[in-house]
């Protein structure tokens, strides 16, 4: 599927995430600063916490419920190595944040 615009760059604060719904798919999108954005599945695999309401620390998103962290590039959880979130390709095209949706 081609890349689809999901937000403007300035709509997501640095270090924060937001929830995006497009074509029946829900994804959490994060602004890591420096023009770098990431996208993951929206639900924490620990106990279904809302990852888009989490925050970034370095190259990981922290779940707001119990603090598990997930590497933005791979989706791997560092607290519980058996847990993982899906990650999706993101690019910035001008002022648009675009995701290659599954
Ligand atoms: S639900 Fe995310 S850490 Fe528990």
């Amino acid at each position: 599927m081609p890349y689809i615009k999901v937000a403007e760059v300035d709509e997501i604060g640095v270090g924060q995430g937001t929830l995006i719904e497009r074509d029946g798919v829900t994804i959490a999108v994060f602004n890591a600063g420096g023009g770098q954005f990431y996208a993951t599945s929206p639900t924490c695999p620990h106990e279904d916490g809302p990852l888009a309401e989490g925050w970034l620390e370095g190259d990981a998103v922290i779940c707001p419920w119990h603090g598990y962290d997930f590497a933005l590039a791979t989706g791997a959880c560092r607290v519980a190595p058996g847990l993982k979130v899906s990650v999706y390709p993101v690019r910035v095209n001008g002022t648009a944040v675009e995701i290659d949706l599954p």
Side-chain angles (χ1 to χ4, degrees):
M1 184 177 282
Y3 280 84
I4 294 176
K5 178 183 174 182
V6 295
E8 289 285 333
V9 165
D10 60 5
E11 290 177 338
I12 309 171
V14 173
Q16 299 178 337
T18 193
L19 201 59
I20 299 292
E21 292 187 51
R22 289 288 184 285
D23 298 334
V25 179
T26 305
I27 290 180
V29 184
F30 302 94
N31 182 355
Q36 184 69 58
F37 288 78
Y38 293 93
T40 72
S41 46
T43 304
C44 177
H46 177 225
E47 291 184 0
D48 297 336
L51 273 187
E53 297 176 18
W55 58 91
L56 303 189
E57 286 184 11
D59 60 354
V61 56
I62 311 300
C63 178
W65 280 11
H66 311 103
Y68 284 25
D69 61 347
F70 297 88
L72 290 163
T74 66
C77 182
R78 295 167 180 166
V79 175
L83 298 182
K84 195 172 195 283
V85 294
S86 297
V87 296
Y88 306 98
V90 184
R91 71 182 183 191
V92 174
N93 186 8
T95 61
V97 180
E98 299 179 338
I99 298 179
D100 188 4
L101 290 176

